[in-house]
Amino acid sequence: MRYGLPLWISGLLALGLLSGCQRAASTPGAGSSAPPDSTHERFEALMAVAKQQALHEQPIGTVMTTLGQEVLGAPYLAGTLDKPTTERLVVRFDGYDCVTFVEAMLALARGVVQQEYDYATFAEHLTDQRYRNGVINGYCSRMHYFTEWIDRNDARGTVRSLSAALGGVPLG
């Protein structure tokens, strides 16, 4: 059940987006190679906090909050996922938009609760969350609307949509 824009508006937006999509060559995720040095350093610093505070013993929401507080003050960065000309997994710890912040903290927390503190696991979780069926296959494989992100990640059990429980009413 979708909560948000009326179905016909969502359909028009999706049609407009897809009409501009051309299948791009699949690009492997960042899990297959080491991240840039600054990203690696920030990732390792966050994992050190997780280990030091034994965050794996905490609920995932607490893990996300604790790690999110560690990056407090990071600037808002718009359009970071659309900067590369070929679709690839973009990972930034130097700034976020609202969705990339949630994605990064959730992917980090998923690894921490499993006590898997390596970058490859983080990249796999992020790819799984951000792309349809967890596969990078060009621009159109990425979920561009947060409503779809919630629906698909809820269906896979990665998150739980609280829209109905909080009184949300389906539109359309």
Side-chain angles (χ1 to χ4, degrees):
M1 201 169 288
R2 188 167 288 280
Y3 297 80
L5 295 174
L7 188 58
W8 69 273
I9 293 176
S10 295
L12 284 175
L13 291 171
L15 184 61
L17 175 67
L18 291 175
S19 67
C21 284
Q22 302 216 342
R23 190 172 189 145
S26 180
T27 303
S32 60
S33 62
D37 287 341
S38 62
T39 300
H40 179 73
E41 289 169 12
R42 289 181 180 115
F43 174 80
E44 290 298 328
L46 290 167
M47 291 300 97
V49 167
K51 291 173 187 175
Q52 180 183 36
Q53 295 186 25
L55 291 179
H56 67 277
E57 298 173 355
Q58 299 297 319
I60 197 164
T62 301
V63 178
M64 289 178 68
T65 301
T66 302
L67 296 176
Q69 289 172 340
E70 290 295 316
V71 298
L72 228 84
Y76 180 89
L77 297 176
T80 57
L81 300 182
D82 294 326
K83 291 203 183 345
T85 56
T86 301
E87 190 68 28
R88 63 178 178 81
L89 184 64
V90 174
V91 177
R92 305 265 317 243
F93 290 114
D94 60 335
Y96 310 87
D97 64 26
C98 52
V99 175
T100 59
F101 177 76
V102 170
E103 285 181 331
M105 295 308 112
L106 178 58
L108 288 166
R110 289 174 68 195
V112 168
V113 299
Q114 296 170 342
Q115 293 184 279
E116 295 182 22
Y117 302 101
D118 59 286
Y119 185 82
T121 297
F122 163 75
E124 288 170 17
H125 288 309
L126 189 58
T127 301
D128 177 60
Q129 294 164 197
R130 186 178 287 168
Y131 292 91
R132 291 179 189 89
N133 303 314
V135 176
I136 301 172
N137 189 18
Y139 177 83
C140 293
S141 64
R142 181 168 22 109
M143 291 179 267
H144 295 272
Y145 297 100
F146 199 58
T147 52
E148 180 187 14
W149 189 97
I150 296 242
D151 287 348
R152 287 183 182 255
N153 279 291
D154 179 65
R156 288 185 287 194
T158 307
V159 299
R160 184 169 37 105
S161 176
L162 298 176
S163 297
L166 295 174
V169 179
L171 298 175

